[in-house]
Amino acid sequence: MRDDTQYYPPKPDKLWSELETTHFSVANHSRWRSLRDYMINVKGDKPRFRSRCILNGYVSNWDGEWTYHFSDGGFKDLEWFELKGDVLNDPQMIAGIVNIQFVGKFVGPVLRLYGYLENGQVARKLTIEDFVDH
């Protein structure tokens, strides 16, 4: 009999002990919660988001529900979190994200906020100028 069981999130391919030798953390639970709280309290449009699990490479679908879906599964295994939408051009939105002090960069039109970087990478916090140049 074939086992077609789907796991959510998918089972880990890597162990935390292995990751600790190859990556370092640049965002903690408090920082992710600050982003969530900020987005919940923003009036008007909010960016859509998706994330990547550092343990198994799973990339979530794009979502826009900040109240419940954003924190499903917690934050410990977030390698990165991406934001997209025209609202990323709004000065108030930019200031709010920069104020949380994430390490990140634009990847095309998408803003990537990092939870972990590979050892040897430079951890540089986002600035207002990062948003002007994208």
Side-chain angles (χ1 to χ4, degrees), residues 117-128:
L117 290 176
E118 289 185 25
N119 291 343
Q121 286 186 296
V122 175
R124 191 181 69 72
K125 292 181 182 174
L126 288 168
T127 66
I128 299 290

Side-chain angles (χ1 to χ4, degrees), residues 27-62:
N28 59 20
H29 181 78
S30 296
R31 190 157 292 159
W32 295 116
R33 292 289 296 188
S34 293
L35 177 65
R36 178 184 177 266
D37 292 345
Y38 175 74
M39 291 299 175
I40 288 172
N41 291 307
V42 164
K43 304 292 185 226
D45 292 338
K46 298 167 178 52
R48 296 186 55 75
F49 61 86
R50 71 177 182 173
S51 62
R52 183 172 195 267
C53 175
I54 194 165
L55 294 175
N56 56 28
Y58 174 76
V59 176
S60 70
N61 292 322
W62 287 100

Side-chain angles (χ1 to χ4, degrees), residues 14-115:
K14 296 182 180 180
L15 301 174
W16 282 111
S17 57
E18 177 186 341
L19 288 170
E20 290 173 351
T21 64
T22 60
H23 291 76
F24 64 101
S25 175
V26 292
N28 59 20
H29 181 78
S30 296
R31 190 157 292 159
W32 295 116
R33 292 289 296 188
S34 293
L35 177 65
R36 178 184 177 266
D37 292 345
Y38 175 74
M39 291 299 175
I40 288 172
N41 291 307
V42 164
K43 304 292 185 226
D45 292 338
K46 298 167 178 52
R48 296 186 55 75
F49 61 86
R50 71 177 182 173
S51 62
R52 183 172 195 267
C53 175
I54 194 165
L55 294 175
N56 56 28
Y58 174 76
V59 176
S60 70
N61 292 322
W62 287 100
D63 198 342
E65 205 297 304
W66 287 89
T67 304
Y68 301 107
H69 297 174
F70 174 78
S71 58
D72 283 353
F75 306 110
K76 182 178 180 181
D77 61 354
L78 285 180
E79 179 178 1
W80 51 251
F81 197 83
E82 291 181 329
L83 305 175
K84 73 175 181 176
D86 291 337
V87 71
L88 292 176
N89 296 316
D90 178 86
Q92 181 181 353
M93 180 67 66
I94 293 168
I97 293 170
V98 168
N99 190 47
I100 300 169
Q101 300 187 353
F102 274 102
V103 170
K105 68 178 182 181
F106 274 90
V107 180
V110 175
L111 176 62
R112 184 173 289 174
L113 308 175
Y114 289 99

